[in-house]
Amino acid sequence: QLQLVESGGGLVQPGGSLRLSCAASGFSLERYAIGWFRQAPGKEREGVVCTTSNGGSTKYADSVKDRFTISRDNAKNTVYLQMNSLKSEDTAVYYCEADNYWYCSGSVKVRGQGTQVTVSS
């Protein structure tokens, strides 16, 4: 069974940091492009970042550029999202998705269940 499980969300003060994890089972993450998405209450789903299978091309949303960093640990079959300088507007449920291809095509192979990130003082 193909599965992605996110973890690492929580409550953090503005300006703080969190690292989200996305662990895969049933398939090898390193073969596929990976994206992180988020959805805040009452808002549309937003793409945060997408990276190709080899990390050669990574695209961040303007809203998170220079604050968020995606990385992979292929040995652990896990992708991470390091989030720094968090703002209240970063509050959302964060999802990771594996693409069906090595590049960011938007064709979803599997999506995680999401992890809540709340930025508040």
Side-chain angles (χ1 to χ4, degrees), residues 18-92:
L18 281 176
R19 189 178 77 158
L20 306 183
S21 299
C22 171
S25 59
F27 70 107
S28 177
L29 265 181
E30 66 180 316
R31 298 178 59 186
Y32 302 97
I34 299 294
W36 283 94
F37 298 81
R38 66 186 181 185
Q39 188 162 23
K43 294 189 176 181
E44 292 189 357
R45 199 172 81 117
E46 176 188 18
V48 175
V49 60
C50 189
T51 186
T52 55
S53 60
N54 64 359
S57 178
T58 300
K59 183 173 175 61
Y60 293 90
D62 288 343
S63 57
V64 306
K65 203 172 294 184
D66 299 326
R67 299 189 298 122
F68 290 12
T69 303
I70 190 171
S71 62
R72 294 176 184 257
D73 185 335
N74 290 331
K76 295 184 177 180
N77 212 20
T78 299
V79 172
Y80 303 98
L81 184 66
Q82 178 67 43
M83 306 187 296
N84 299 328
S85 303
L86 283 162
K87 307 174 182 179
S88 58
E89 51 262 45
D90 294 319
T91 296

